[in-house]
Amino acid sequence: ITSFSTAPLRVWSVIGFLAALIAIAFAIGLIVRVMIVGREVPGYASLMTVVVAHLATNDVVGGAAKATKRIHDGLRAIGVDSRLVVAARTLDDETARRERIVDVAVPLAKKAAASALNRGVHRIARNTGVMSYDWPGLGASSSQVANALRGVNALHLHWTQGFVGADTVGRVVERIDRPALVWTLMDAAPLTGGCHYPGTCARYTQRCGACPQLHSAIEHDVTRLTWQQKRTHLSSLPLVIVAPTSWVEERARRSSLFGAHRIERIPVA
């Protein structure tokens, strides 16, 4: 004699119902978390158009400017939305519009003040080396630079001396929503308190000051002030440092400012 029982069906029906409730509760939890907390759903795929801006002092004058423009032109050639933002433009208006080059001029009064300060330091120190200092407020307006960078989500710094200082870069980055940040170093100036080539001096590996190139015995000299500006406004940014040569790469890795950052060796074509 055989008999039939519906007990197993009832048991598995209950198990299935509970599993469905758990799945629904989990889905509701994800939706509420995204709507209220703002976290992205893990595994959610999104598409983003990369808009790159390059910051450089010049458009085509000088080796650093030419290298920057080649990168800009190369990105545009493969369909990337790239613009070049400079302080000094020599190309004509039609070419600039066609090649997406935007100029943000530094006021003449600021340029004159920075130049006078540089000459004064060199005259007092009898310096013959190549130095670049960071004079806060004597570059392009951060609001003008930010306007030129509207819509950008990737910012590539190049040779920017005399254009934007560390304080300006810091304020501009704050106005961009989590941009990708890259800085290509054509020499060691971004790593130091001013010198382009530190020679045998290793003070940039700790903190600059008492600069031998300035024959200075003062710890808090202009190189320490420049180093502190970079430390305050730049060293905490999620910059990727690009070194075109092994010489620059070695000094970047030893730098107290950017030694802990991601550093890539990419030769300039």
Side-chain angles (χ1 to χ4, degrees):
I1 300 172
T2 61
S3 64
F4 177 78
S5 174
T6 60
L9 292 177
R10 290 197 298 271
V11 170
W12 283 107
S13 295
V14 171
I15 293 174
F17 178 72
L18 291 175
L21 282 180
I22 293 172
I24 292 171
F26 182 72
I28 292 173
L30 289 178
I31 293 171
V32 170
R33 183 172 61 181
V34 172
M35 293 179 65
I36 297 177
V37 182
R39 294 183 58 186
E40 296 179 356
V41 179
Y44 179 77
S46 62
L47 296 176
M48 181 182 71
T49 301
V50 177
V51 182
V52 183
H54 307 271
L55 283 184
T57 302
N58 300 296
D59 54 358
V60 292
V61 176
K66 289 181 172 65
T68 300
K69 191 168 183 302
R70 282 199 296 269
I71 295 173
H72 169 61
D73 291 341
L75 289 174
R76 294 183 68 241
I78 61 174
V80 175
D81 186 348
S82 177
R83 72 187 71 162
L84 176 57
V85 181
V86 301
R89 175 170 61 86
T90 55
L91 295 173
D92 61 82
D93 292 346
E94 182 180 349
T95 302
R97 282 193 297 271
R98 184 175 65 250
E99 299 187 2
R100 292 184 59 79
I101 299 174
V102 181
D103 56 306
V104 180
V106 178
L108 290 177
K110 289 185 176 183
K111 292 174 67 174
S115 179
L117 287 170
N118 289 335
R119 289 196 305 270
V121 170
H122 289 187
R123 187 177 296 113
I124 293 171
R126 296 180 182 179
N127 171 59
T128 55
V130 182
M131 305 286 287
S132 297
Y133 310 112
D134 194 330
W135 304 111
L138 294 184
S141 162
S142 59
S143 59
Q144 287 183 303
V145 176
N147 287 337
L149 299 180
R150 285 182 178 175
V152 165
N153 51 32
L155 182 60
H156 192 168
L157 303 174
H158 297 270
W159 175 250
T160 59
Q161 182 59 34
F163 179 21
V164 290
D167 57 333
T168 301
V169 172
R171 286 196 295 269
V172 167
V173 169
E174 289 177 354
R175 301 188 183 193
I176 305 174
D177 184 23
R178 295 181 297 177
L181 299 172
V182 178
W183 197 350
T184 294
L185 312 185
M186 302 310 294
D187 56 29
L191 309 172
T192 72
C195 67
H196 295 205
Y197 301 97
T200 58
C201 177
R203 293 185 68 84
Y204 71 95
T205 63
Q206 298 175 348
R207 54 182 180 177
C208 290
C211 177
Q213 291 198 35
L214 296 181
H215 309 289
S216 170
I218 303 172
E219 281 293 329
H220 290 275
D221 61 14
V222 66
T223 64
R224 173 69 63 81
L225 297 177
T226 295
W227 180 90
Q228 286 177 333
Q229 282 289 308
K230 296 174 182 177
R231 181 78 169 181
T232 300
H233 299 288
L234 300 180
S235 64
S236 62
L237 296 179
L239 282 160
V240 175
I241 303 298
V242 173
T245 67
S246 57
W247 184 89
V248 173
E249 179 186 13
E250 178 185 348
R251 278 144 190 84
R253 295 192 184 283
R254 296 178 61 196
S255 165
S256 58
L257 293 173
F258 303 114
H261 287 58
R262 175 184 169 188
I263 299 171
E264 298 289 344
R265 165 85 182 283
I266 304 177
V268 175

